[in-house]
Amino acid sequence: MCGIVGMVGDRDAVPVLIEGLKRLEYRGYDSAGLAVLHENDVALRRAVGRLSALESELAAHPLSGSIGIGHTRWATHGEASVRNCHPHAAAEGRLALVHNGIIENYQELKKDLTAKGILFSSDTDTEVLAATIADCQQDGADLLEALRCALSKARGAYALGLLSLDAPETLYAARLGSPLIVGKGSSGYFIASDVPAILPQVDEVIYLEDGEIARLTPAGVEIWNLAGEAQVLKWVKVEMEESAVDAGGFETFMLKEIHEQTRVLRGLMERYVMDGQIVLPELNMSVGHIRTLQRMMIVSCGTAYYAAMYGRLLIENYTSIAVETDLGSEFRYRSPKIQPGTLVATVSQSGETADTLASVQMAKGAGCPILTICNVFGSSLVRESDHLIYTHAGPEIGVASTKAFTAQLMCFVFLTLYLAEARGELTAETREELLAELQRIPTAIHRVLENKEHIRKIAEQHHDGPSSLYLGRRYNYPMALEGALKNKEISYQHAEGYAAGEMKHGPIALINESLPVICICTETEDEVAEKMISNVREVQARSGRIIAIATEGDTRLDDITEDIIFVPRICECMSPLVNVVALQLLAYYAAQARGTDIDKPRNLAKSVTVE
Ligand code: M6R
């Protein structure tokens, strides 16, 4: 969702802001803008659409200045239009504000300000916050005091950057519930929504805490909490390599990230498996605690929710812990019966998903310990958690999650083995079998990647219809959901994932000769394997266009369909890690055939930081 970048330094901020905004594009946006202190003025340039529109605006009306803020906006309050673009000005154009988050009481604040005669030119909550800061300044407060005063009136979430003619050498930043970092480098000080945005500029960063306000000047950085108490600066060295945030010769970030999965999963095993034992350094959970666990609730959203469904199946299969899963957006608005002591786990690539975060805060309030599986260090979910497993997938830039997802699945395998071992519920034999199977996953994924031309041809044959259906059972049911989600997200073709056994209860009515039905049939051994083949035959009997994912050497589908994607044989409980790669490629090539913007699909944001 909205991205923020800002700079105070010794060179022109405009190219730095534009580059930063380009690096934030992946978060999703529909308009963009920037403001710089230019010739004793706060000058704004804003445009709807891609950043190229803002660049054209800048080419037509050039700007320069060494202090500036920039923003990519994903519309929430008010349509995507120039007047709703950030930055928003107040105090007769003397200050400009960029903001990520939602000011929930903006209507109330707006009413009070309107009564004082203040006029608004946008529909946004951000302009109201800018006007509130200006209003607080009217009482003679300096800008820092005015900002603190305005934030004390605002309810909701924010990450913000503020500049003003009244503090011409200064950039202010603040966060509450939305991510923001401060960075330093040889050419100045910076703010940004994430590290990749300012990676070329900075050597060290500070992850702002909720309720902190930062002041950046050419001389340095100061930070206070909302009560005005100075905070110790916690600079962290930036370890990220530039190659982690470029497409590395691939046509899209998504394709690069699909290919990175072998390396990411190998890296995870090197990190978390030592001498045949699972070692989870950030889990920080005693054996005594693990042995008392009876219930676990896993809360997450989107793709991460499907990882949670997979995790539940694994944990329930190998331990005696009862596991439930829920979507963050549902969990937080029902009355879940979570006893103090229930382990509440979250899974998240970004660590910033608003509904997951709110669910965690609710569970903490109920006295539950929190375990988070996350890809982003220092993110909000990480800070709220007692127990952690990092997915170490590296920055994921493609909006459609791929490598972060398979890393989440693998972390669930580690967690399951760790819990089962600590509870005395895992035999040495099972542990060795599962670990041996795990070691085979990267090579199996590599084989799927080698088969991508075949997958592309299948995708090209079936991409044109209005809809498709994905079927799977047990461990591969969440993969059917994920395959359908990937397809929807990037190819814009309606797709539905279903538990194959549920097909007779409704979706079978959809099947005809034009409906592609993607069937995950890699189970070969037990009754689920047989049932799945029966389901495929039911589709065949109704002339559905069957695309099967099957195990190499399996001949059961030979008389059913020619469109088979064979994958290496992997035990059923780990087969999703391999099968989903075939589904990612299938969605990818369908999207390519349909000509969509794969890395930046319409309407989507990479991290959903508002409800
Ligand atoms: O950052 P998170 O993992 O918490 O994000 C959750 C979902 O928004 C995310 O998985 C979304 O569904 C992806 N675009 C899926 O590709």
Side-chain angles (χ1 to χ4, degrees), residues 191-212:
I191 58 169
S193 298
D194 60 25
V195 177
I198 49 174
L199 186 58
Q201 321 299 338
V202 298
D203 310 310
E204 291 183 294
V205 294
I206 295 171
Y207 293 88
L208 284 184
E209 300 283 346
D210 274 347
E212 286 186 341

Side-chain angles (χ1 to χ4, degrees), residues 375-546:
N375 199 34
V376 179
F377 304 93
S379 58
S380 302
L381 277 172
V382 163
R383 289 152 194 259
E384 294 281 354
S385 299
D386 309 291
H387 313 287
L388 287 168
I389 305 177
Y390 285 112
T391 43
H392 290 287
E396 191 178 65
I397 308 289
V399 165
S401 189
T402 52
K403 61 176 181 171
F405 178 65
T406 44
Q408 288 162 356
L409 300 183
M410 190 170 266
C411 285
F412 269 117
V413 178
F414 297 141
L415 178 65
T416 304
L417 290 172
Y418 193 87
L419 296 176
E421 182 93 52
R423 293 165 70 89
E425 294 176 334
L426 189 72
T427 63
E429 197 188 348
T430 309
R431 186 188 63 227
E432 275 158 34
E433 269 171 29
L434 292 176
L435 283 178
E437 203 65 1
L438 204 56
Q439 297 292 342
R440 298 181 52 233
I441 302 281
T443 312
I445 291 178
H446 183 71
R447 288 262 286 282
V448 175
L449 296 172
E450 281 179 338
N451 200 16
K452 65 184 176 192
E453 272 311 296
H454 174 62
I455 299 175
R456 187 173 61 76
K457 281 188 192 125
I458 293 179
E460 283 172 358
Q461 273 167 42
H462 299 285
H463 75 272
D464 50 347
S467 187
S468 56
L469 181 63
Y470 287 67
L471 300 176
R473 278 179 174 262
R474 203 155 56 190
Y475 288 100
N476 281 301
Y477 164 44
M479 299 310 114
L481 297 172
E482 170 61 4
L485 179 65
K486 282 290 88 85
N487 193 26
K488 278 185 272 218
E489 278 189 292
I490 59 169
S491 83
Y492 313 153
Q493 182 193 52
H494 171 256
E496 196 157 339
Y498 239 83
E502 277 288 296
M503 192 177 51
K504 288 193 203 65
H505 302 284
I508 201 162
L510 297 171
I511 297 173
N512 61 19
E513 60 291 340
S514 63
L515 184 77
V517 185
I518 296 88
C519 304
I520 311 173
C521 311
T522 47
E523 304 84 8
T524 52
E525 261 146 36
D526 61 3
E527 79 244 315
V528 163
E530 284 163 25
K531 301 269 184 235
M532 188 65 214
I533 296 296
S534 304
N535 295 136
V536 177
R537 290 213 179 272
E538 286 157 6
V539 177
Q540 183 190 27
R542 286 154 187 87
S543 308
R545 288 155 67 173
I546 295 166

Side-chain angles (χ1 to χ4, degrees), residues 178-471:
S178 291
L180 198 65
I181 57 165
V182 171
K184 80 171 159 191
S186 55
S187 57
Y189 294 91
F190 302 82
I191 58 169
S193 298
D194 60 25
V195 177
I198 49 174
L199 186 58
Q201 321 299 338
V202 298
D203 310 310
E204 291 183 294
V205 294
I206 295 171
Y207 293 88
L208 284 184
E209 300 283 346
D210 274 347
E212 286 186 341
I213 298 178
R215 177 161 65 193
L216 289 71
T217 67
V221 175
E222 297 155 282
I223 297 180
W224 299 270
N225 62 16
L226 283 177
E229 295 156 342
Q231 304 294 296
V232 177
L233 304 188
K234 295 181 204 143
W235 291 106
V236 180
K237 200 168 161 28
V238 175
E239 306 284 358
M240 199 179 284
E241 303 270 323
E242 186 58 30
S243 61
V245 290
D246 68 36
F250 284 90
E251 59 204 22
T252 60
F253 279 101
M254 184 178 174
L255 194 60
K256 176 194 179 209
E257 288 156 7
I258 290 173
H259 281 79
E260 279 181 319
Q261 293 177 106
T262 46
R263 182 181 57 73
V264 167
L265 298 185
R266 271 199 191 102
L268 268 183
M269 281 187 284
E270 278 162 22
R271 194 178 279 275
Y272 292 143
V273 186
M274 276 166 210
D275 299 328
Q277 297 291 331
I278 306 296
V279 180
L280 300 172
E282 290 94 8
L283 188 65
N284 193 26
M285 200 182 275
S286 70
V287 171
H289 181 189
I290 292 173
R291 289 196 173 157
T292 61
L293 288 177
Q294 293 184 337
R295 277 190 73 207
M296 187 170 165
M297 166 68 76
I298 317 176
V299 186
S300 45
C301 299
T303 285
Y305 179 65
Y306 303 142
M309 289 173 72
Y310 169 76
R312 173 192 174 183
L313 289 163
L314 266 184
I315 296 168
E316 288 200 329
N317 197 34
Y318 289 100
T319 78
S320 54
I321 303 168
V323 187
E324 285 173 71
T325 56
D326 205 353
L327 296 162
S329 53
E330 290 297 316
F331 180 83
R332 63 183 291 196
Y333 292 114
R334 64 182 177 93
S335 312
K337 299 294 168 277
I338 37 169
Q339 320 302 336
T342 297
L343 178 64
V344 173
T346 71
V347 197
S348 175
Q349 189 287 127
S350 62
E352 302 294 346
T353 301
D355 285 320
T356 310
L357 194 54
S359 302
V360 159
Q361 284 155 352
M362 191 169 132
K364 277 180 94 166
C368 300
I370 309 295
L371 159 65
T372 286
I373 297 178
C374 190
N375 199 34
V376 179
F377 304 93
S379 58
S380 302
L381 277 172
V382 163
R383 289 152 194 259
E384 294 281 354
S385 299
D386 309 291
H387 313 287
L388 287 168
I389 305 177
Y390 285 112
T391 43
H392 290 287
E396 191 178 65
I397 308 289
V399 165
S401 189
T402 52
K403 61 176 181 171
F405 178 65
T406 44
Q408 288 162 356
L409 300 183
M410 190 170 266
C411 285
F412 269 117
V413 178
F414 297 141
L415 178 65
T416 304
L417 290 172
Y418 193 87
L419 296 176
E421 182 93 52
R423 293 165 70 89
E425 294 176 334
L426 189 72
T427 63
E429 197 188 348
T430 309
R431 186 188 63 227
E432 275 158 34
E433 269 171 29
L434 292 176
L435 283 178
E437 203 65 1
L438 204 56
Q439 297 292 342
R440 298 181 52 233
I441 302 281
T443 312
I445 291 178
H446 183 71
R447 288 262 286 282
V448 175
L449 296 172
E450 281 179 338
N451 200 16
K452 65 184 176 192
E453 272 311 296
H454 174 62
I455 299 175
R456 187 173 61 76
K457 281 188 192 125
I458 293 179
E460 283 172 358
Q461 273 167 42
H462 299 285
H463 75 272
D464 50 347
S467 187
S468 56
L469 181 63
Y470 287 67
L471 300 176

